[in-house]
Amino acid sequence: MASRAISQAARAATSRAGANRGFSVLTATEEFPGVPATSPATKKGSVFSSTTLATGLTVVTEDASLVSTVSLTYPNAGSSQEGPGEAGAAIANRYLAFKSGSDLSSAIILRSLEDKGASVFSSAGRRGATVGFTAARENAAYVAPLLMTECSFEKWDVKEAQELAGVEAGEATSNAQVALTDQIYAAAFGAQSSIGRSYYTAGASRPSIMSFRERNYTLDGAVLAATGIADHEAFVRMVDSEFPIPPPRKEAPLTTDYMGGEARVSAPSTGYAHVALAFQGPTSAPVTNVLKHCLGMSGVTAFASSGIMGVYGGSAPGDASATVDALSKAVGVAPSADVVASATAAAKAEALATLDGGSQSLADAMTASVFDSTMSLAEAYDSVTADDVSKAYAAMLKSQVSLAAVGDISTVPYHATIASRFA
């Protein structure tokens, strides 16, 4: 009875206190505007949209990223498109991004981007070049036109680009992996072809840099990828009105056929042997990636790029021949249905992981999806069958094997010996 009386008294006191203080029935947000929500809305999935303009530029956007990355990729601005006398023009042009042009100095261009909190980036390689920035969502459309600044090739800008290209090329020469990559392309496509030459080439002249850029930095076939864009149609209208219409490309892009050969760089002082075997790859990116994972499940390291794929390894000089044997054996075993299923799952997971790798990684994946015509990554990998992989594997083996060897390679077998294993 005593405890019940105490409880009743406590409830009565609480009721009186509440009546005297006049407790509000408003929610925290209504009573204190600006207070962050304690139960935020569930994050929505990205909605991807794509539009190709009359200029040939494809604009692809998504609307869920918290920040915006806007990247403009020129598929023909890589070193594989360097013409006679233009060796080194691709890497030099990478460093002309955001330089003087369109009656704006590089200082004004960079200041305009920095004032909006944008961080810029540029990249290039054998196949294509990209320029872009990451900024707050609300500023993306405002500074995006600066990506299309028409370079004026001021002498000081070109000189700086040549110097920076020379530094990057010099650093690459001491990298064994870069050397092996260069040699595998030389073996696969021929050392004198544009794609067979190293991207890391210094010494391009100002006229060659200019001619290369004017021919290959065009909107026809380019992709503008933008993350965090709420209104795709409005963004496309901005691009259509603000991006200048360049003259049409006068020449068709250079093409190089896969050959299959041998390239060796002997450097006994390294005390190590690097070896790679490559073949002509499938045209489908999802099938290529699945087949790459199939090869990787054979216990070797596999690689794949546009038009080429294979395996590589390294060892002490005395074990180089055994390394080549292991690589050959891994390639020579046709993947079973179980291996294909596991490889497909791994390739799909790897591809989808890029969508969660940050705003710039997502923009890269969106760009690749346009070039590969696979706007739905999950569906693209789900559609890959064991028969597709089997046919791709058979076609791969029918192409001539390419051999690249770098380092102390005195015991590495020659191309004819290795090629006979796949005859």
Side-chain angles (χ1 to χ4, degrees), residues 112-186:
S112 299
L113 289 162
E114 290 171 357
D115 284 348
K116 295 299 180 180
S119 58
V120 302
F121 58 85
S122 64
S123 62
R126 277 184 169 80
R127 300 183 184 276
T130 298
V131 59
F133 64 84
T134 299
R137 289 168 56 117
E138 61 270 19
N139 295 330
Y142 179 79
V143 294
L146 292 176
L147 295 179
M148 269 300 293
T149 302
E150 297 182 38
C151 184
S152 57
F153 303 102
E154 302 296 343
K155 293 182 178 179
W156 50 89
D157 286 335
V158 174
K159 183 178 180 181
E160 181 182 29
Q162 291 170 321
E163 292 174 350
L164 291 173
V167 171
E168 185 178 358
E171 292 175 348
T173 58
S174 60
N175 188 314
Q177 294 298 321
V178 171
L180 186 64
T181 300
D182 284 345
Q183 295 309 305
I184 201 62
Y185 272 94

Side-chain angles (χ1 to χ4, degrees), residues 282-330:
T283 56
S284 166
V287 174
T288 298
N289 290 333
V290 171
L291 188 52
K292 180 191 75 172
H293 279 274
C294 288
L295 296 176
M297 290 179 180
S298 299
V300 296
T301 304
F303 65 90
S305 185
S306 179
I308 187 174
M309 67 181 307
V311 293
Y312 70 93
S315 66
D319 298 326
S321 180
T323 298
V324 173
D325 292 341
L327 296 177
S328 301
K329 182 179 179 181

